[in-house]
């Protein structure tokens, strides 16, 4: 049974546990090792099932638990070559860490994990699409100023999509961030807004995606309600009905113990 447990999602920390029949991976390891262990424990997840950690990029909210957690559980770390270099340079991984660069896709146990390029102000960022042995697929695409064709293709081909819905543009423009940070978030290498997320959803549902998980919501420039309402409005305008054509939820800032089967 393929499932995903969103453990953390926000600029404070991000991590997803994704499992197939026998094995599992983590996508990102934010917060700290203790918090990550507690999140796994509260979801009754056996850390022995985790076979590797896939890192999307080197920003702190995606890798702050990496060094200690990977060392403690002797886990290999996969990322793009650029991200691995950045992690090493920033001393985010142990000197003896098992690092593997992912160029395109790799098979790990009974899962196929494919890298999906994103557009973000990091060295070589990416998201991931994960296909399990029973041919179920999910994709995690966050931290991207826009959706590359490759990312859109990956998102359309999955059963469950974790997609960034970072900010409401008006809230961001009128919010407390300094001008330079607002420009960064809004840029092509920043974060995906609610409207930019919403507009790709109808084509995804048309292609067979049934579960949507809006992720990496800004705690300053967004609300759960705004993110969901923006997406549902666009989907409704395309004639798609919530809870019959698709389900939609937001990835929690901290785990709420809900695993989603896909
Ligand atoms: Zn982030
Ligand atoms: Zn980032």
């Amino acid at each position: 049974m393929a499932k995903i447990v969103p453990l953390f999602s926000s600029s404070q920390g991000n991590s997803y546990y994704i499992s197939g029949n026998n094995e599992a991976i983590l996508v990102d390891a934010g917060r700290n090792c203790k918090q990550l262990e507690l999140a796994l424990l509260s979801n009754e997840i056996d850390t022995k099932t985790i076979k590797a950690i896939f890192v999307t990029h080197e920003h702190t909210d995606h890798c702050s638990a990496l060094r200690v957690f990977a060392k403690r559980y002797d886990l290999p770390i996969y990322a793009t070559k650029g991200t691995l270099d950045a992690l090493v340079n920033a001393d985010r991984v142990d000197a003896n860490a098992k690092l593997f660069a992912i160029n395109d896709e790799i098979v790990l146990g009974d899962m196929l994990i494919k890298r999906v390029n994103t557009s973000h102000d990091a060295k070589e960022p990416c998201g991931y699409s994960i296909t399990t042995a029973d041919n179920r697929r999910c994709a995690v695409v966050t931290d991207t100023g826009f959706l590359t064709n490759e990312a859109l293709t990956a998102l359309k081909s999955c059963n469950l999509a974790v997609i960034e819905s970072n900010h409401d543009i008006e809230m961001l423009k009128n919010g407390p961030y300094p001008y330079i940070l607002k420009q960064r978030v809004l840029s092509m290498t920043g974060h995906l807004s609610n409207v930019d997320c919403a507009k790709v959803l109808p084509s995804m549902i048309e292609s067979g995606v049934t579960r949507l998980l809006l992720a990496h919501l800004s705690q300053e420039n967004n609300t759960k309600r705004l993110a969901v309402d923006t997406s549902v409005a666009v989907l409704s305008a395309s004639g798609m009905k919530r809870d019959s054509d698709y389900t939609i939820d937001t990835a929690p800032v901290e785990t709420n113990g809900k695993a989603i089967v896909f």
Side-chain angles (χ1 to χ4, degrees):
M1 186 176 65
K3 69 171 185 179
I4 181 167
V5 182
L7 300 169
F8 305 124
S9 176
S10 79
S11 53
Q12 288 176 30
N14 298 275
S15 185
Y16 298 90
Y17 173 88
I18 298 163
S19 68
N21 290 335
N22 307 305
E23 287 151 332
I25 60 164
L26 286 184
V27 171
D28 286 331
R31 300 287 180 104
N32 63 38
C33 182
K34 183 89 202 150
Q35 288 169 308
L36 188 50
E37 285 175 333
L38 282 172
L40 292 165
L41 191 68
S42 71
N43 285 284
E44 296 173 349
I45 292 167
D46 182 354
T47 47
K48 286 196 201 76
T49 57
I50 302 170
K51 300 303 171 199
I53 306 171
F54 285 75
V55 182
T56 59
H57 63 297
E58 68 275 22
H59 289 166
T60 307
D61 53 321
H62 298 261
C63 66
S64 46
L66 191 60
R67 172 189 261 276
V68 180
F69 191 87
K71 188 174 183 191
R72 182 168 296 172
Y73 298 99
D74 192 27
L75 292 171
I77 296 166
Y78 291 82
T80 62
K81 172 80 170 66
T83 296
L84 290 179
D85 288 347
L87 291 170
V88 169
N89 289 339
D91 206 24
R92 289 288 193 184
V93 289
D94 192 74
N96 298 316
K98 293 182 268 185
L99 305 177
F100 298 93
I102 179 162
N103 292 320
D104 180 24
E105 58 185 34
I106 64 138
V107 174
L108 193 82
D110 61 4
M111 288 190 276
L112 173 76
I113 297 116
K114 187 174 166 41
R115 122 184 199 179
V116 179
N117 290 332
T118 52
S119 172
H120 195 51
D121 54 356
K123 191 101 177 277
E124 195 183 358
C126 72
Y128 294 102
S129 123
I130 298 107
T131 310
T132 65
D134 42 3
N135 216 24
R136 306 299 290 173
R137 187 176 293 158
C138 78
V140 177
V141 177
T142 68
D143 299 72
T144 194
F146 71 100
L147 290 170
T148 61
N149 284 336
E150 189 185 299
L152 195 53
T153 303
L155 286 166
K156 281 180 173 177
S157 74
C158 59
N159 303 99
L160 178 148
V162 179
I163 179 171
E164 177 164 47
S165 190
N166 179 261
H167 56 275
D168 174 78
I169 293 172
E170 288 311 307
M171 268 183 89
L172 175 72
K173 283 184 175 163
N174 299 316
Y177 279 12
Y179 178 76
I180 194 97
L181 184 53
K182 288 180 184 178
Q183 292 307 113
R184 197 213 126 206
V185 173
L186 289 166
S187 76
M188 296 295 267
T189 55
H191 290 276
L192 206 65
S193 68
N194 291 345
V195 284
D196 284 343
C197 167
K199 73 182 178 200
V200 300
L201 298 181
S203 67
M204 285 166 54
I205 305 298
E206 237 160 51
S207 305
V209 180
T210 55
R211 300 184 186 291
L212 300 169
L213 196 60
L214 306 181
H216 214 301
L217 270 65
S218 167
Q219 291 177 282
E220 290 82 16
N221 306 309
N222 208 355
T223 65
K224 281 195 239 179
R225 176 107 190 246
L226 260 178
V228 171
D229 285 356
T230 306
S231 285
V232 170
V234 171
L235 286 161
S236 298
S238 301
M240 291 159 183
K241 290 195 181 65
R242 185 177 183 176
D243 296 329
S244 60
D245 295 321
Y246 67 92
T247 64
I248 188 165
D249 208 343
T250 54
V253 175
E254 286 187 47
T255 180
N256 54 17
K258 272 198 232 161
I260 308 170
V261 174
F262 60 90

